[in-house]
Amino acid sequence: MEDNHKMSRRQVVAGLGTTLAAVAVSPVFGGTNIEKTTYEGAAKISDPTTLHPKPPFKSQPQPWPGLQSKMDPVPDCGETSYKGSGRLMGRKALITGGDSGMGRAAAIAYAREGADVAINYYPTEEQDAQEVIALIKKEGRKAIAIPGDLRSEEFCKQLVHKAIDGLGGLDIIVNNAGRQQSINSIVDVTTEEFDATMKTNIYAPFWIIREALPHLPPGAAIIGTTSEQAYDPSPDLYAYAQTKAATMNYVKSLAKQLGPKGIRVNGVAPGPIWTALQISGGAQPEKQQMFGSWTMLGRPGQPAELASIYVQLAAADASFASGQVYGSSGGVGQP
Ligand code: NAD
Ligand code: MG
C-alpha cells in the first residue's frame, strides 16, 4: 500500500512538471488509490476580447520579410508571459521562421518547457532572431541560430545537419516559415512569385522532413503551420492559400506514413494573427489596418496565444494525436 502510494505521488508530480509553486497530495481517500491534487491560488482568467490590442492599427508597411521588432504594436510572442512546466525537458527542436511570429512564440515556449532549440530565419531577420536566441539562452537551453534561404534545397539539407550537430540530435521539427503575398488578380502573379511561394511553403518542408527522417527517433513530432486559408481561401491569396491546403494535406498523409515508425505529424491552423507576415506584403493596406476586426473577439490573435498549441502537439503525453490540425482563429474560420 505504502509503495503504491509513493509511486502514484511520484507519477502525479512528474506529470505536472517541475515548476509548480506548490503541489499538495492528500491521503488516499474513499478506499481507492485516487489522490487529490491541489494548487495554491486560483488560475487567472481573462476576458479574451480585451486581452490584446484591437484595430484600427497604424499603416506600417515594411519590405519583405519584415522585422517584428519594428511593428507597432510589437507582436506578443510570450516573452514576458509564457510559463513552462517541464513538458519538453531534454527535447531537441528545429523551428523554421523562429525569429518572429508563431515560430518565435513556439521557440520561447519550447525553451521554457526545457527543450534545446535551433531556429532558422532569413538572413535579413538577424535582429529579431538574436532576441530569440538570447531568450532561449536565458532559460539555460542550447540556442542555435541557422540563417539561410529555405527556397534552396541545398540550404534545407544543410539546415537539418547543422541543427542535428548543434543540438546533438533532433526530435521535434516545426515547419513554420511561410511566404504570403497579397495580389488581387492572378494576372499579376508572376511566375517568380508563384515559385517563391511554392518553394518556401511546400518544397522546404518536403526537403527538411526527407533529410531529417533517418535521424528522427520514435516519439519524434513533426508540426506544420497551415492556416484557415487551407479551408476558406481569400481571393487575393491564390498562391498562398493553396500551399496551406497542401500543408494540411501533407500532415494527414505523412501521419499515416510515419505512424508505424512512431513519429507523429500534426498541424496548427491559425486565423488572423498580428505578425510581420501581414505588414510585409501579406495583406492589402486596408486589411492591415482593420486586421482581425472580423473575428468574434474583434481583434487579431497574438502569436503568444498559440504557443501552448505548439507545445501540446510536440509533448510526449499527446501520444495519440497524429494527423490532426488544431485551429485557433477567434471564433471564425476552419478547421
Ligand atoms: P512571420 O513573418 O513572423 O514569420 C514567417 C517567417 O517565415 C519569417 O520570419 C521568415 O523567417 C520565414 N521565411 C519566409 N520566407 C523564408 C525564406 N525564403 N527563407 C527563410 N525563412 C523564410 O509571420 P507568421 O505569421 O508568424 O508566419 C508563420 C506561419 O504562420 C507561416 O507559415 C504563415 O503562413 C502562418 N500563418 C500566419 C497567419 C497570420 O495571420 N499571421 C495565419 C495563418 C497562418
Ligand atoms: Mg520574421
Side-chain angles (χ1 to χ4, degrees):
M1 182 64 183
E2 182 56 20
D3 273 344
N4 279 348
H5 179 76
K6 275 184 194 154
M7 195 164 103
S8 101
R9 179 188 300 235
R10 267 199 307 273
Q11 285 168 337
V12 168
V13 173
L16 288 171
T18 54
T19 61
L20 289 176
V23 178
V25 182
S26 74
V28 173
F29 60 96
T32 71
N33 261 349
I34 301 167
E35 295 183 348
K36 186 176 165 216
T37 306
T38 54
Y39 304 84
E40 262 184 12
K44 187 174 168 251
I45 62 164
S46 315
D47 178 352
T49 65
T50 55
L51 201 53
H52 289 291
K54 288 190 170 193
F57 298 106
K58 267 195 225 159
S59 174
Q60 49 189 296
Q62 287 188 39
W64 179 87
L67 282 178
Q68 77 160 41
S69 42
K70 296 207 157 89
M71 288 175 70
D72 179 13
V74 173
D76 180 348
C77 294
E79 291 85 350
T80 59
S81 57
Y82 191 89
K83 289 189 179 58
S85 56
R87 296 191 71 197
L88 302 177
M89 198 54 77
R91 300 287 297 272
K92 299 168 192 307
L94 167 63
I95 304 174
T96 63
D99 60 301
S100 58
M102 262 78 78
R104 177 184 178 117
I108 294 168
Y110 281 12
R112 291 188 186 163
E113 296 290 357
D116 294 325
V117 185
I119 59 167
N120 159 252
Y121 48 92
Y122 196 69
T124 58
E125 298 175 302
E126 195 64 43
Q127 186 181 326
D128 280 353
Q130 284 308 323
E131 292 175 1
V132 178
I133 293 294
L135 286 164
I136 298 169
K137 285 188 175 158
K138 208 172 154 199
E139 299 304 316
R141 309 312 316 180
K142 276 189 204 162
I144 318 286
I146 316 176
D149 190 341
L150 291 172
R151 291 170 290 190
S152 153
E153 178 173 3
E154 198 42 47
F155 172 71
C156 286
K157 288 183 186 169
Q158 288 171 16
L159 170 62
V160 168
H161 293 289
K162 282 184 182 170
I164 291 171
D165 292 348
L167 299 171
L170 191 61
D171 55 45
I172 303 172
I173 299 176
V174 182
N175 281 308
N176 163 78
R179 180 184 185 86
Q180 172 182 327
Q181 292 291 299
S182 162
I183 302 172
N184 282 331
S185 170
I186 187 172
V187 170
D188 298 319
V189 178
T190 63
T191 300
E192 290 70 28
E193 178 52 45
F194 189 80
D195 192 52
T197 305
M198 299 298 141
K199 287 269 162 49
T200 312
N201 300 4
I202 299 181
Y203 277 79
F206 160 58
W207 290 326
I208 290 169
I209 295 168
R210 189 180 61 183
E211 194 67 18
L213 191 58
H215 306 276
L216 297 181
I222 298 172
I223 299 168
T225 302
T226 170
S227 170
E228 61 179 359
Q229 292 290 328
Y231 307 87
D232 186 13
S234 297
D236 59 322
L237 296 177
Y238 168 76
Y240 173 82
Q242 59 183 293
T243 67
K244 293 295 156 174
T247 304
M248 178 270 287
N249 195 275
Y250 93 61
V251 161
K252 290 184 180 289
S253 70
L254 269 190
K256 290 176 183 162
Q257 189 182 124
L258 303 185
K261 293 185 193 296
I263 296 172
R264 297 182 299 108
V265 189
N266 291 290
V268 181
I273 313 298
W274 183 247
T275 67
L277 178 109
Q278 300 293 349
I279 53 90
S280 61
Q284 298 291 321
E286 328 73 74
K287 192 172 173 188
Q288 287 175 29
Q289 285 167 42
M290 292 313 290
F291 198 64
S293 58
W294 57 88
T295 72
M296 293 304 119
L297 306 182
R299 63 170 177 86
Q302 294 291 327
E305 298 182 277
L306 285 79
S308 62
I309 301 172
Y310 287 89
V311 170
Q312 173 64 19
L313 293 177
D317 59 3
S319 43
F320 203 56
S322 196
Q324 313 300 319
V325 177
Y326 193 133
S328 180
S329 50
V332 292
Q334 302 170 45

